[in-house]
Amino acid sequence: MVHCPECEETLEEQSDVEFLDMDSTTGFFRASKRFYLVACGHCGAAIGSGVAGAR
Ligand SMILES: [Zn+2]
């Protein structure tokens, strides 16, 4: 699934990574979208991010 660039941990399960919902913390992203930061569950390094459309 994802390979961590920091600790080289292979993250195969969705539970191995942290999905941080930035929507309520920054206020930068509006209600129409939800921004997610994917962080390594092993070392905490940020791996990637994405925006999911709100239903
Ligand atoms: Zn890591």
Side-chain angles (χ1 to χ4, degrees):
M1 176 181 168
V2 183
H3 191 76
C4 178
E6 292 295 325
C7 68
E8 299 188 349
E9 179 89 348
T10 301
L11 308 171
E12 298 184 9
E13 303 288 331
Q14 190 170 9
S15 60
D16 287 336
V17 297
E18 288 186 65
F19 290 88
L20 305 178
D21 188 351
M22 305 292 284
D23 193 45
S24 59
T25 53
T26 63
F28 182 78
F29 295 93
R30 298 313 174 101
S32 60
K33 292 182 179 179
R34 297 174 68 87
F35 179 79
Y36 292 92
L37 174 67
V38 182
C40 176
H42 187 73
C43 69
I47 299 173
S49 58
V51 177
R55 300 280 175 91

